[in-house]
């Protein structure tokens, strides 16, 4: 199922003990875990709207360079992991990630994560990290002035009819991405999980 999966521990010894006791009394825990899985997947999606982690801590804001890049691409840099276009569309930057959040459950566990195809992308945003980009060859496209035998200072798109390609060496560099945790259990989630346990406890 998910390429990125997280084990969840309730951050309260009393609550965890109560939950375990309730779980042992349940004759069939599948309904309980199914509800937990849906709850946590929904909470993860809401974190994209809140622009904050499960603990409520706001995500680090966009860097000025990222804002400039999005504006050049015709996007409105409102959301950190979502790049809305000026035409009203939504970019794939974070939208595809939030849309890929899925969940599974059985009689023993609830699992929430993203597919294997987005595992690396999801992990780098969940935990943060540095991506090392190796040196490589690239191409830039500019207009060439045959009279002056010089290139125009600005780049153009490669499908521009007057574009001239130049091969360039791109040196190695690194990109540091701050953590944007979106998977986890909030304090509100803990309350709901305990509530589900009582709902599915046949002794109640």
């Amino acid at each position: 199922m998910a390429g990125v999966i997280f084990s969840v521990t309730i951050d309260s010894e009393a609550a965890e003990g109560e939950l375990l006791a309730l779980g042992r009394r349940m004759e069939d825990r599948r309904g309980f875990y199914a509800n937990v899985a849906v709850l946590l997947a929904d909470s993860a999606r809401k974190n994209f709207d809140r622009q904050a982690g499960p603990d409520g801590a706001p995500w680090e804001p966009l860097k000025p360079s990222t804002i400039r890049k999005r504006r050049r691409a015709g996007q409105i840099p409102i959301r950190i992991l979502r790049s809305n276009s000026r035409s009203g569309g939504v970019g794939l930057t974070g939208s595809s990630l939030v849309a890929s959040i899925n969940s599974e459950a059985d009689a023993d566990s609830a699992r929430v994560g993203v597919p294997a195809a987005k595992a690396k992308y999801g992990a780098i945003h969940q935990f943060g990290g540095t991506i090392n980009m190796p040196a490589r060859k690239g191409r830039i496209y500019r207009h060439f002035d045959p009279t002056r035998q010089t290139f125009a200072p600005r780049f153009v798109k490669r499908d521009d009819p007057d574009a001239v390609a130049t091969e360039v060496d791109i040196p190695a560099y690194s990109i540091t991405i701050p953590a944007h945790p979106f998977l986890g259990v909030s304090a509100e989630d803990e309350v709901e999980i305990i509530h589900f346990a009582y709902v599915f406890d046949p002794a109640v």
Side-chain angles (χ1 to χ4, degrees):
M1 97 111 194
V4 179
I5 302 174
F6 298 91
S7 297
V8 171
T9 300
I10 301 299
D11 191 21
S12 167
E13 186 175 340
E16 187 173 3
E18 183 179 11
L19 185 59
L20 288 172
L22 287 167
R24 283 192 293 267
R25 292 206 303 268
M26 292 181 198
E27 296 177 359
D28 187 347
R29 295 186 291 270
R30 284 175 295 185
F32 165 71
Y33 283 118
N35 277 270
V36 171
V38 171
L39 168 72
L40 296 182
D42 187 53
S43 291
R45 297 183 190 102
K46 288 178 180 177
N47 288 332
F48 281 80
D49 293 326
R50 288 192 291 256
Q51 302 282 275
D55 62 355
W59 290 343
E60 185 174 319
L62 292 173
K63 294 180 179 179
S65 58
T66 302
I67 294 175
R68 289 194 297 270
K69 181 179 179 181
R70 289 191 180 183
R71 283 176 174 161
R72 285 197 298 269
Q75 299 168 348
I76 304 173
I78 298 175
R79 300 286 186 176
I80 295 172
L81 288 182
R82 286 184 173 181
S83 50
N84 293 351
S85 69
R86 298 187 187 281
S87 62
V90 181
L92 295 179
T93 304
S95 302
S96 59
L97 182 60
V98 67
S100 72
I101 294 172
N102 56 64
S103 63
E104 277 186 359
D106 53 33
D108 299 303
S109 63
R111 298 173 296 280
V112 177
V114 298
K118 296 195 178 295
K120 290 183 179 180
Y121 182 66
I124 196 69
H125 283 297
Q126 177 75 20
F127 302 112
T130 298
I131 301 174
N132 296 312
M133 307 295 291
R136 60 186 176 88
K137 294 285 186 180
R139 284 186 177 183
I140 58 175
Y141 297 86
R142 296 170 293 178
H143 287 158
F144 182 72
D145 185 341
T147 303
R148 299 182 180 181
Q149 291 292 300
T150 58
F151 284 100
R154 292 188 177 183
F155 298 132
V156 296
K157 295 182 179 180
R158 65 179 180 180
D159 57 357
D160 187 301
D162 296 321
V164 177
T166 304
E167 190 172 82
V168 296
D169 291 315
I170 301 176
Y173 63 97
S174 61
I175 302 172
T176 299
I177 298 178
H180 300 114
F182 57 95
L183 294 173
V185 181
S186 68
E188 292 80 6
D189 292 336
E190 290 186 11
V191 173
E192 285 297 314
I193 291 171
I194 294 296
H195 171 73
F196 289 153
Y198 275 107
V199 169
F200 287 92
D201 178 13
V204 176

